[in-house]
Amino acid sequence: MAARTILVLGGGVGGLVTANELRRRLDPADRVVVVERERRHLFQPSLLWLMVGRRRRDQIERPLRELVAPGVEVVEADITSVDPAARSVQTTAGSLAGDEMVVALGAEPDRDAVPGYRDAALDFFSPDGAAACARALDAFKGGRVVVAVAALPYKCPAAPYEAALLLEDELRRRGLRAPSEIDVYSPEPAPMPVAGAAMGAAVVALLEARGIRFHPGTKIERFEPGSREIVLPDGTRVGYDLLAGVPPHRAPAAVRESPLAGGTGWVPVDRATLETGHERVHAIGDVTSITLANGKPLPRAGVFAHGEGLVAARRIASALAGRPADDAFDGVGYCWVEAGAGRAAFATGAFFAEPDPALVLRGPGRSWHAGKVLFERSWVGGRLERRLAHAGLVVGGRLLGVTATA
Ligand SMILES: Cc1cc2nc3c(=O)[nH]c(=O)nc-3n(C[C@H](O)[C@H](O)[C@H](O)COP(=O)(O)OP(=O)(O)OC[C@H]3O[C@@H](n4cnc5c(N)ncnc54)[C@H](O)[C@@H]3O)c2cc1C
């Protein structure tokens, strides 16, 4: 049988999981090729620890080539266009084509969507922004801290709330809590609205217990970095001394400008199979749009990119082996909510449940925080560290009755 080539576009969470699972399942003669512009794979959840000075950048990244399974090829290049009909891409390293293609190009911050945001906010959605936030915190003497969601959509629904809780903890640790106020502004009606009213109320309770004020349903018209103010549509001005920002997100240009993009710019997929409607082209993770039974989108989170990547890889391997492809993505997910003081809460549940996702929030507690640290190390630790952390997660997960394993 002639060797086949599977192109995996993007080497983030979804692309990495997909490529490694394909490598495990395919004939060694088949090629698995990951196209990724960054040399180093970033564990994005740890940006929250980087922003409060609890991590260095080199602790939360690892060269992608060290993380792919032996035999996975990595092409370091920028993808400039995608042709799903030909299953080919144009890149800064030339054109590439495959027998199968998996699109895992994620979501990119759109920092110019809201006027003034780019210059005003310490944007912890990038390593540079998170590091700048940590430096600003070092120089901070107390005052008004604002965490602002500039506009929707954004990835990781818990991130703004975790940021506020971690900043609060850090100010307390540094003796700056008393002279400081902390406010969270978001256009959302409640934290993590897709997860239902009870989840929103639980997260608001976490914020209130720490004296953090939450301002739901707040659209932001513009940011004025000169006067250090946020301007709301009714003209209200909100002053700040330290502004941590969550940028709105969009699909990368190569996807938005391709026939893959639905009306919104994201890639619509079958939620069970991750098929795009273009023959032998799957899409997974943040770049996709999946609408839940309650009409809300499946959140953009690594846990889903991970689960979808496994399903896409297994379906492709089955199809190439001439077997029926029966793996299906079930929408089960989990999420740590870092609460500061060495504690985290842990949300887990079924997002495809009807009429609403059925989720449970446990904690906050130290064991959940330890689980998140293990998860980080299982992802971007050294080789031995990754193995030990993974084993720790499996054992810990069994003891705690959850399946949050890498
Ligand atoms: C602060 C923060 C905290 C988070 N916390 C959590 C959490 O606790 N739990 C959770 O589940 N998720 C969390 N997330 C979200 C999670 O990181 C993402 O949802 C996940 O990474 C999505 O995986 P993906 O493979 O779809 O995209 P990504 O992991 O973003 O990967 C996309 C890849 O495509 C590459 N790429 C894009 N365009 C091109 C191009 N044109 N050419 C070449 N390469 C390209 C990018 O460089 C990137 O490596 C967090 C995110 C942030 C920012």
Side-chain angles (χ1 to χ4, degrees), residues 238-255:
V238 177
Y240 61 83
D241 299 300
L242 193 147
L243 175 67
V246 174
H249 282 69
R250 60 183 177 180
V255 170

Side-chain angles (χ1 to χ4, degrees), residues 137-143 176 179-180:
L137 201 54
D138 284 342
F140 192 61
K141 301 279 184 276
L176 293 170
S180 301

Side-chain angles (χ1 to χ4, degrees), residues 301-359:
V303 61
F304 298 125
H306 188 153
E308 292 167 3
L310 289 176
V311 168
R314 289 168 187 169
R315 293 184 68 87
I316 290 168
S318 297
L320 291 179
R323 293 190 305 269
D326 48 14
D327 285 277
F329 180 56
D330 58 7
V332 171
Y334 53 84
C335 166
W336 281 273
V337 182
E338 267 299 294
R343 292 168 196 273
F346 186 72
T348 180
F351 280 76
F352 290 170
E354 298 186 13
D356 288 303
L359 301 178

Side-chain angles (χ1 to χ4, degrees), residues 141-161:
K141 301 279 184 276
R144 184 127 195 243
V145 177
V146 169
V147 178
V149 176
L152 304 176
Y154 64 93
K155 61 181 162 186
C156 187
Y161 310 103

Side-chain angles (χ1 to χ4, degrees), residues 9-15 35-38 44-45 47-48 77-80 104-107 124-125 155-156 159 162 252 254 284-287 300-305 334-336 372:
L9 311 185
V13 173
V35 192
E36 167 60 54
R37 66 173 158 219
E38 302 291 342
Q44 297 177 38
L47 288 171
L48 288 155
D78 210 322
I79 297 163
T80 49
L105 289 170
F124 58 92
F125 274 57
K155 61 181 162 186
C156 187
E162 293 181 278
I284 58 165
D286 287 358
V287 78
R300 296 195 159 80
V303 61
F304 298 125
Y334 53 84
C335 166
W336 281 273
K372 185 161 182 179

